[in-house]
Amino acid sequence: MAKILVIRLSAIGDVAMTVPVIYSAAKANPQHTFTVLTQAFLIPVFMNRPANVDVIGINTKGAEKTLGGLLRFASALVNYEYDIVLDLHNVIRTMIIRSLFRIKGKNVYVVDKARKERKMLTARNHKVFKPLRPVIERYADVFRAAGLNYTEIFTSLYESRPADLSAMQEVAGEKRGKWIGIAPFAKHRGKIYPVDCMEQVVARLSEHEGYTIFLLGGRGYEEAVLEQWAFQYPRVKSIVGLYSLDNELALISQLDVLLCMDSANMHFASLVGTKVVSIWGATHPYAGFYGYHQDPDNVVQLDLPCRPCSVFGQKPCYRGDWACMAQVMPEMVIKKVKKVLD
């Protein structure tokens, strides 16, 4: 029996993508124990986990933000005597943590992030436009390199226990007709469909009496926009700030389709087996971050020679017009959503 530490600190979507791999590996290796180290606020994502999986939290925006805080945390972690360390993140913070384990003679295995290939895929000139190995497969490669059995068997966070829907009854009500989730925002501008265009999508879909639309987003500006849409259009409800993450996942599991960006919500939907229609701009599924077991035909994107220009969508548009998103017509999005629903 081995004690295995699995590290993935951020980002939200990337942590979500570890779930199918960790759960599959844990079930394939019941004689071992797996401890996941991630951001404390993301612990609820690892719900209904196998009995041999535990999760511990770190706060890199709080106590562990500084080098001193990180070293104190890592020094305490080393005392738990893990036999194997799997670094699925491979950034400065995880390099520091894994180095302490290496000093103690522990076996450490690190994900290959294919930085060179990603740079070639997003190059402005001499772009090498071909699909890279999916990130989930890269995670699985780390488990295989450690000599662990691995068979991909994950289907849903709720495969062993049904979603608890009680918390959502007051707002969502009983399900009638089709439920559509819309998550129109992302962390970076290069991954966000223009707000006025998405409003047209919401307005058109809300005209259908058989559809109920749930809007997902964050606090502040996003909340204000979504609450305005919910007020303005029939059968549209904003759930911003109403549910904890685990309850939001339960609601997503009941949707007939989720319309979103290349964002964490795409991965949340993938974890609960909900179909996704996703809009891609500066980024591209070829970079390997497409949702787990999602249908590639449900991607909305334009074939432009400049795409992709970024792996994560944070770079400014060198054309200056954000054509990759601005030229996606609302009719294209609506058609794709209705195709999935039909």
Side-chain angles (χ1 to χ4, degrees):
M1 172 181 169
K3 293 176 60 178
I4 300 165
L5 177 67
V6 184
I7 307 173
R8 179 74 214 200
L9 307 184
S10 64
I12 299 175
D14 298 299
V15 172
M17 291 175 76
T18 69
V19 172
V21 180
I22 294 170
Y23 284 28
S24 294
K27 290 179 180 180
N29 300 272
Q31 73 278 23
H32 302 318
T33 61
F34 297 81
T35 300
V36 183
L37 173 63
T38 191
Q39 297 290 344
F41 75 93
L42 289 174
I43 291 177
V45 174
F46 294 87
M47 64 172 65
N48 300 334
R49 54 186 178 265
N52 58 335
V53 176
D54 195 10
V55 188
I56 56 177
I58 187 172
N59 184 1
T60 58
K61 293 187 177 180
E64 288 78 49
K65 181 177 182 178
T66 65
L67 177 60
L70 180 65
L71 287 172
R72 284 190 294 272
F73 180 93
S75 298
L77 190 65
V78 168
N79 292 330
Y80 282 86
E81 295 293 337
Y82 293 103
D83 303 296
I84 299 172
V85 176
L86 309 182
D87 183 356
L88 305 186
H89 202 169
N90 196 13
V91 293
I92 295 296
R93 283 192 175 97
T94 63
M95 291 176 187
I96 292 172
I97 295 171
R98 77 188 191 222
S99 293
L100 295 185
F101 281 98
R102 277 202 169 114
I103 290 172
K104 292 200 69 172
K106 305 300 181 180
N107 293 318
V108 176
Y109 302 87
V110 183
V111 68
D112 174 12
K113 299 183 81 168
R115 289 185 171 96
K116 180 179 178 181
E117 291 86 347
R118 290 179 184 176
K119 186 175 181 180
M120 295 165 65
L121 176 65
T122 57
R124 184 169 177 177
N125 299 307
H126 309 295
K127 183 187 298 292
V128 180
F129 187 65
K130 65 179 183 180
L132 306 185
R133 187 167 175 78
V135 170
I136 284 182
E137 276 300 309
R138 293 184 183 277
Y139 290 159
D141 289 342
V142 182
F143 287 80
R144 297 185 184 105
L148 298 167
N149 297 322
Y150 186 81
T151 303
E152 185 184 287
I153 57 174
F154 178 87
T155 58
S156 169
L157 286 172
Y158 299 115
E159 64 183 77
S160 62
R161 186 182 307 169
D164 180 6
L165 309 178
S166 58
M168 58 184 253
Q169 291 300 317
E170 184 176 349
V171 174
E174 294 297 325
K175 184 171 182 178
R176 296 181 179 86
K178 301 289 188 179
W179 280 11
I180 303 171
I182 298 182
F185 297 102
K187 185 176 181 180
H188 301 295
R189 180 178 177 181
K191 299 201 291 186
I192 301 176
Y193 190 48
V195 173
D196 58 336
C197 293
M198 185 60 87
E199 183 176 0
Q200 294 180 52
V201 173
V202 172
R204 289 272 301 280
L205 290 174
S206 72
E207 295 172 356
H208 195 297
E209 293 185 0
Y211 297 164
T212 300
I213 299 171
F214 297 93
L215 305 176
L216 298 86
R219 296 287 195 171
Y221 169 73
E222 296 181 17
E223 182 178 18
V225 170
L226 300 184
E227 286 187 349
Q228 176 60 35
W229 292 355
F231 174 78
Q232 191 169 348
Y233 301 107
R235 295 171 289 277
V236 177
K237 303 179 181 183
S238 171
I239 63 166
V240 177
L242 298 181
Y243 297 135
S244 60
L245 179 55
D246 53 340
N247 287 324
E248 197 165 291
L249 284 166
L251 175 61
I252 292 173
S253 74
Q254 301 304 300
L255 300 175
D256 293 281
V257 64
L258 174 69
L259 170 62
C260 63
M261 308 298 106
D262 168 19
S263 65
N265 281 298
M266 173 179 64
H267 299 295
F268 289 157
S270 301
L271 293 184
V272 297
T274 294
K275 294 180 180 179
V276 169
V277 170
S278 51
I279 307 174
W280 295 67
T283 60
H284 197 286
Y286 274 14
F289 292 93
Y290 193 49
Y292 179 75
H293 284 185
Q294 292 294 337
D295 187 343
D297 288 341
N298 294 339
V299 170
V300 179
Q301 60 183 342
L302 299 176
D303 291 326
L304 298 175
C306 55
R307 289 191 62 236
C309 64
S310 173
V311 173
F312 305 112
Q314 80 280 24
K315 296 180 180 179
C317 174
Y318 59 75
R319 290 172 48 130
D321 59 358
W322 301 96
C324 57
M325 283 295 193
Q327 293 182 14
V328 174
M329 295 295 101
E331 290 75 16
M332 296 169 57
V333 180
I334 294 166
K335 182 178 180 181
K336 190 75 72 170
V337 170
K338 287 186 174 181
K339 180 182 177 183
V340 173
L341 290 175
D342 293 340

